[in-house]
Amino acid sequence: MDMVRNFHMAQGLGETSYAQNSPLQKEVIESVMDITLRSAMEACAAETVSIADLGCSSGRNTLSVVENVIRAVCERRREATQQLPEFMVFLNDLPSNDFNTLFSLVPEFVQKLKAEHDDGGGILVSVAGAPGNFYGRLFPSSSLHFITSFTSLHWLSQVPAGLLNNEESVNKGNIYMSPASPPLVATLYFERFQKDFNMFLRSRSQELVVGGKMVFSFIGRRSHDSHEKINECLLLEALEKSLSILVSQKLVTEEKLDSFNLPFYAPSTQELEDQVYREGSFTIDSMKQAHDWTIHEYAPKMLSNFSRAIIESFICHHFGEEIIEPLFETYTQLLCEKLVAREDIGWSKIIVVLCKSAAS
Amino acid sequence: MDMVRNFHMAQGLGETSYAQNSPLQKEVIESVMDITLRSAMEACAAETVSIADLGCSSGRNTLSVVENVIRAVCERRREATQQLPEFMVFLNDLPSNDFNTLFSLVPEFVQKLKAEHDDGGGILVSVAGAPGNFYGRLFPSSSLHFITSFTSLHWLSQVPAGLLNNEESVNKGNIYMSPASPPLVATLYFERFQKDFNMFLRSRSQELVVGGKMVFSFIGRRSHDSHEKINECLLLEALEKSLSILVSQKLVTEEKLDSFNLPFYAPSTQELEDQVYREGSFTIDSMKQAHDWTIHEYAPKMLSNFSRAIIESFICHHFGEEIIEPLFETYTQLLCEKLVAREDIGWSKIIVVLCKSAAS
């Protein structure tokens, strides 16, 4: 599947939309808010502050980050009795993202911020949507002061090419780098991650001013060993199992399942560090790993909807729309069983703050 | 109706979409391309060239302008053996515009331009959608080099408030500043135009760098006398008549028609000049008026679809969706009759090039 054209969170504001099904992402954002705001205050000293959120999707999460960043930067200026800056905000996602829904929230968002900071002339907040692939250049050189990206960078630019060898799958029965995958699969996923993440860093390095900062958080592995059983991927594990049940029910052919792989990779902190050092333009302000247990707090049906909002476009593209309902019914059932049976579910996130260094 | 929330060209790519029904706008753009490119080449000398198209809508027209501007600027640099610039392109329209459809065209657009200019590293073209009302600030101060706006500025920010006086219409039976309207209506429309256009100029003046240019073209009156019969508005005249036929058919109540007014104003060149001088930040590089006769070349059904793509959102909002089909059937019929009966139909457009002066 062509990620740039076809991958998007579920559109609109309806029951199965991403906008209504992203509380896990909201939690991630809230948990990293402090470090995000601290970094923003350090990075945003210009008269016109340009910030970008990469992989913004279409709900309120992205605007809530921006809102808090703007508030924090203004607060810092007031404390220093400096003039408030103007803000240029870029919200980036792939072109097939539902920007229409996102943009419908913008007037109220801008109005609210203006009203809050209306001491004198108010502040200027320009919001623009930047459709494009963040594994490549998105913005002019040295044009940004601060970049955020939450729960996006575990998505690769594409499924590793070698997973289908002359249409023969090397990852039969699995849909990601799962514990059951052969070692070659881990290698192919890792190589794709290396290429993508290097391209990501190189692009951002050109776009950020010296001293500009970047905060990102995404799903990571707890162990450096790529073959270790990855408890973090319960949601993917259940999806894999659900698809194989659909095969046994003759709703999906075995070949169709064998040729399906998600472009998903959860790196370890060590792998990330290696990439940052190798690329060479950034210093690491901070890198942390945290384990989230909140999955337990949601009903299986809700978790099922959360996953669906994210991966429906993949599933539809590969298997066809008709399997969506039976698949996610099976998936919900499996999640019920898994949530009862297991205690160690949850997922691990990595939080990184990078600073563009002068030397690059 | 709240213009910012509700006014938009017909969405998508279907039969009645704006994207499929904007050849008249395409003609306008083609007819002003030369002067647009000349102005762009003069204004875009920076390392990173920032341009904006205001009222871009959702079809290919807006991208075709940008494409030609980028090509012309690159050509000029090559002739002077200078390095090619990076381009930051903002496509602006109201938040309810169909940006999703527009963004689906962006990857191919960027790819094409990159391929054309791939001498060495290729060029960087960043495209962003800027949702917002151009009768107000959209971009940071001194951030743009070149602005275009085609077939948009005849739309006011809102229906003049005084047209409904204690819910009593002062423009009964008419839906715009039509030849049959009382003099007060012309005054109210003119006052709204003055306020809006002043706000437009003041906002752009802050956003453009000194020496930055702005090219815009929109429907204008041929005479300075606002009460003169305006042949240019055949399409609106026929719409007004169609609505009154629907009243006689009891499909629309008289009160509903009386309270409907379009936020449309076609200024004269004299009125425009006055506004530019009064605002004071711009010099007029050029101001021309031209009469277009191409309406004759289109079948009535097509003209009907063109109008529908533009004003459907107004009509739906005020009268309800159910009158759309009967209204535009009647409208098409009327256009048939009018196109046969009259020779002097067509419309007048004004083309203006302004340059941001140092003195402001």
Side-chain angles (χ1 to χ4, degrees):
Chain A
M1 147 165 153
D2 179 343
M3 292 282 284
V4 172
R5 287 191 185 280
N6 302 311
F7 179 40
H8 56 80
M9 303 296 108
Q11 307 191 323
L13 292 165
E15 200 196 338
T16 59
S17 68
Y18 177 83
Q20 304 290 355
N21 286 287
S22 40
L24 289 175
Q25 293 85 339
K26 186 163 178 255
E27 280 182 24
V28 168
I29 287 172
E30 282 167 1
S31 72
V32 300
M33 196 61 93
D34 278 354
I35 198 166
T36 302
L37 300 186
R38 252 200 328 277
S39 307
M41 287 191 283
E42 288 161 10
C44 299
E47 265 179 58
T48 297
V49 168
S50 290
I51 64 184
D53 186 45
L54 310 184
C56 65
S57 191
S58 51
R60 288 183 191 275
N61 287 344
T62 187
L63 293 177
S64 100
V65 177
V66 173
E67 186 179 319
N68 283 294
V69 164
I70 289 177
R71 211 173 272 142
V73 172
C74 287
E75 199 51 44
R76 168 67 62 101
R77 298 283 172 111
R78 276 214 190 80
E79 282 168 15
T81 61
Q82 290 168 338
Q83 216 187 335
L84 297 187
E86 295 183 344
F87 291 91
M88 180 74 236
V89 177
F90 291 99
L91 305 176
N92 154 265
D93 211 315
L94 292 172
S96 53
N97 179 53
D98 186 0
F99 281 97
N100 284 356
T101 295
L102 182 59
F103 285 178
S104 72
L105 307 171
V106 166
E108 188 193 328
F109 165 79
V110 170
Q111 216 42 55
K112 185 178 163 195
L113 280 167
K114 267 191 184 158
E116 265 179 35
H117 299 280
D118 200 9
D119 44 353
I123 56 165
L124 180 87
V125 180
S126 299
V127 178
N133 180 358
F134 58 49
Y135 293 121
R137 283 292 295 278
L138 289 167
F139 304 103
S141 299
S142 302
S143 65
L144 296 176
H145 303 95
F146 189 60
I147 296 173
T148 54
S149 179
F150 300 114
T151 62
S152 292
L153 275 161
H154 40 244
W155 294 110
L156 300 169
S157 69
Q158 54 182 274
V159 174
L163 288 178
L164 286 183
N165 200 349
N166 290 327
E167 301 200 8
E168 181 74 14
S169 170
V170 299
N171 198 24
K172 280 186 183 169
N174 309 309
I175 64 167
Y176 66 111
M177 192 183 92
S178 87
S181 300
L184 173 62
V185 171
T187 306
L188 291 170
Y189 267 103
F190 178 59
E191 284 173 0
R192 185 72 256 163
F193 159 75
Q194 280 185 307
K195 276 188 201 137
D196 284 347
F197 200 70
N198 180 267
M199 181 53 110
F200 178 81
L201 290 176
R202 272 198 296 149
S203 303
R204 301 300 83 76
S205 157
Q206 291 173 289
E207 292 161 0
L208 275 170
V209 300
V210 169
K213 300 204 179 202
M214 176 152 72
V215 179
F216 48 95
S217 173
F218 55 105
I219 300 176
R221 285 202 319 285
R222 275 186 292 181
S223 152
H224 183 51
D225 178 0
S226 59
H227 298 118
E228 190 215 32
K229 192 161 165 56
I230 305 158
N231 290 320
E232 288 84 358
C233 291
L234 165 79
L235 296 176
L236 289 181
E237 202 181 305
L239 183 71
E240 191 169 277
K241 179 82 180 138
S242 306
L243 281 164
S244 74
I245 290 173
L246 263 63
V247 169
S248 69
Q249 293 170 340
K250 311 271 187 227
L251 291 172
V252 163
T253 66
E254 207 169 325
E255 295 71 39
K256 210 70 186 152
L257 173 55
D258 285 347
S259 62
F260 182 67
N261 290 290
L262 285 169
F264 174 90
Y265 187 80
S268 67
T269 50
Q270 187 59 54
E271 286 169 359
L272 277 174
E273 267 188 55
D274 288 351
Q275 288 302 310
V276 174
Y277 288 128
R278 202 170 294 179
E279 194 278 329
S281 324
F282 293 94
T283 54
I284 298 176
D285 272 13
S286 143
M287 188 177 300
K288 283 183 203 156
Q289 188 151 25
H291 203 66
D292 260 328
W293 297 96
T294 55
I295 283 183
H296 284 285
E297 295 166 16
Y298 295 96
K301 175 65 183 163
M302 289 178 80
L303 287 174
S304 176
N305 280 348
F306 301 166
S307 297
R308 177 175 170 170
I310 297 170
I311 54 176
E312 190 173 327
S313 64
F314 281 118
I315 303 283
C316 280
H317 187 264
H318 188 84
F319 296 101
E321 212 175 318
E322 60 282 6
I323 79 150
I324 292 294
E325 291 305 329
L327 175 65
F328 283 97
E329 264 172 46
T330 308
Y331 184 64
T332 308
Q333 258 180 325
L334 273 183
L335 286 180
C336 285
E337 293 162 24
K338 281 184 185 284
L339 286 169
V340 169
R342 288 166 59 168
E343 285 302 308
D344 63 341
I345 55 166
W347 51 300
S348 178
K349 64 171 183 249
I350 297 177
I351 307 116
V352 187
V353 184
L354 301 183
C355 181
K356 167 80 186 291
S357 53
S360 80
Chain B
M1 150 164 151
D2 179 344
M3 292 282 283
V4 173
R5 286 190 185 280
N6 302 311
F7 179 41
H8 56 79
M9 303 296 109
Q11 307 190 324
L13 292 165
E15 200 196 339
T16 58
S17 68
Y18 177 83
Q20 304 290 355
N21 286 287
S22 40
L24 289 175
Q25 292 85 339
K26 186 163 177 254
E27 280 181 25
V28 168
I29 288 171
E30 282 168 1
S31 72
V32 300
M33 196 61 93
D34 279 354
I35 198 167
T36 302
L37 300 186
R38 252 199 329 276
S39 307
M41 287 191 283
E42 288 161 10
C44 299
E47 265 179 58
T48 297
V49 168
S50 290
I51 63 184
D53 186 45
L54 309 184
C56 65
S57 190
S58 51
R60 289 183 190 274
N61 287 343
T62 187
L63 293 177
S64 100
V65 177
V66 173
E67 186 179 319
N68 283 294
V69 164
I70 289 177
R71 212 173 271 142
V73 172
C74 286
E75 198 51 43
R76 167 68 61 102
R77 298 283 172 111
R78 276 212 191 81
E79 282 167 14
T81 61
Q82 290 169 338
Q83 216 187 335
L84 297 187
E86 295 183 343
F87 291 90
M88 179 74 236
V89 177
F90 291 99
L91 305 176
N92 154 265
D93 211 316
L94 292 172
S96 52
N97 179 54
D98 187 359
F99 281 97
N100 284 356
T101 296
L102 182 59
F103 285 178
S104 72
L105 307 171
V106 166
E108 188 192 328
F109 165 79
V110 170
Q111 215 43 54
K112 184 178 163 194
L113 280 167
K114 267 192 184 156
E116 265 179 35
H117 299 280
D118 200 9
D119 45 353
I123 56 165
L124 180 88
V125 180
S126 299
V127 179
N133 181 359
F134 58 48
Y135 293 121
R137 284 292 295 279
L138 289 167
F139 305 104
S141 299
S142 302
S143 65
L144 297 176
H145 302 95
F146 189 59
I147 296 173
T148 53
S149 180
F150 300 114
T151 62
S152 292
L153 275 161
H154 40 244
W155 294 109
L156 300 169
S157 69
Q158 54 182 275
V159 173
L163 288 177
L164 286 183
N165 200 347
N166 290 327
E167 301 201 7
E168 180 74 14
S169 170
V170 298
N171 197 25
K172 280 187 183 169
N174 309 309
I175 64 167
Y176 67 111
M177 192 184 91
S178 87
S181 300
L184 173 62
V185 171
T187 306
L188 291 170
Y189 267 103
F190 178 59
E191 284 173 359
R192 186 71 257 164
F193 159 75
Q194 281 185 306
K195 276 187 200 138
D196 284 347
F197 200 70
N198 181 266
M199 181 52 111
F200 178 81
L201 291 176
R202 272 198 296 149
S203 303
R204 300 301 84 76
S205 157
Q206 292 173 288
E207 292 161 1
L208 275 171
V209 299
V210 169
K213 300 204 179 202
M214 176 151 73
V215 179
F216 48 95
S217 173
F218 55 105
I219 300 176
R221 286 202 319 286
R222 275 185 292 181
S223 152
H224 183 51
D225 177 0
S226 60
H227 299 119
E228 190 214 33
K229 192 161 165 58
I230 305 159
N231 289 320
E232 288 83 358
C233 291
L234 166 79
L235 296 176
L236 289 180
E237 203 181 304
L239 183 70
E240 191 169 277
K241 179 82 179 137
S242 306
L243 281 164
S244 74
I245 290 173
L246 263 63
V247 169
S248 69
Q249 293 170 340
K250 311 270 187 227
L251 291 172
V252 163
T253 66
E254 208 169 324
E255 294 71 38
K256 210 69 186 154
L257 174 55
D258 285 347
S259 62
F260 182 67
N261 290 290
L262 285 169
F264 175 90
Y265 187 80
S268 67
T269 50
Q270 187 59 53
E271 287 169 358
L272 277 175
E273 268 188 54
D274 288 351
Q275 288 302 311
V276 174
Y277 288 128
R278 201 170 294 179
E279 195 278 328
S281 324
F282 293 94
T283 54
I284 299 176
D285 273 12
S286 143
M287 188 177 299
K288 282 184 204 156
Q289 189 152 26
H291 203 66
D292 259 328
W293 296 96
T294 54
I295 284 183
H296 284 285
E297 296 166 14
Y298 295 96
K301 176 65 183 164
M302 289 178 79
L303 287 174
S304 176
N305 280 349
F306 301 166
S307 297
R308 178 175 170 171
I310 297 169
I311 54 177
E312 191 173 326
S313 64
F314 281 119
I315 303 283
C316 280
H317 188 264
H318 188 84
F319 296 101
E321 212 174 318
E322 60 282 6
I323 79 149
I324 292 294
E325 291 305 329
L327 175 65
F328 283 97
E329 264 173 46
T330 309
Y331 184 63
T332 308
Q333 259 180 325
L334 274 183
L335 286 181
C336 285
E337 294 163 23
K338 281 184 185 283
L339 286 169
V340 170
R342 288 166 59 168
E343 286 301 308
D344 63 342
I345 55 166
W347 51 301
S348 177
K349 64 171 184 250
I350 297 177
I351 307 116
V352 187
V353 184
L354 301 182
C355 181
K356 167 80 186 292
S357 53
S360 79

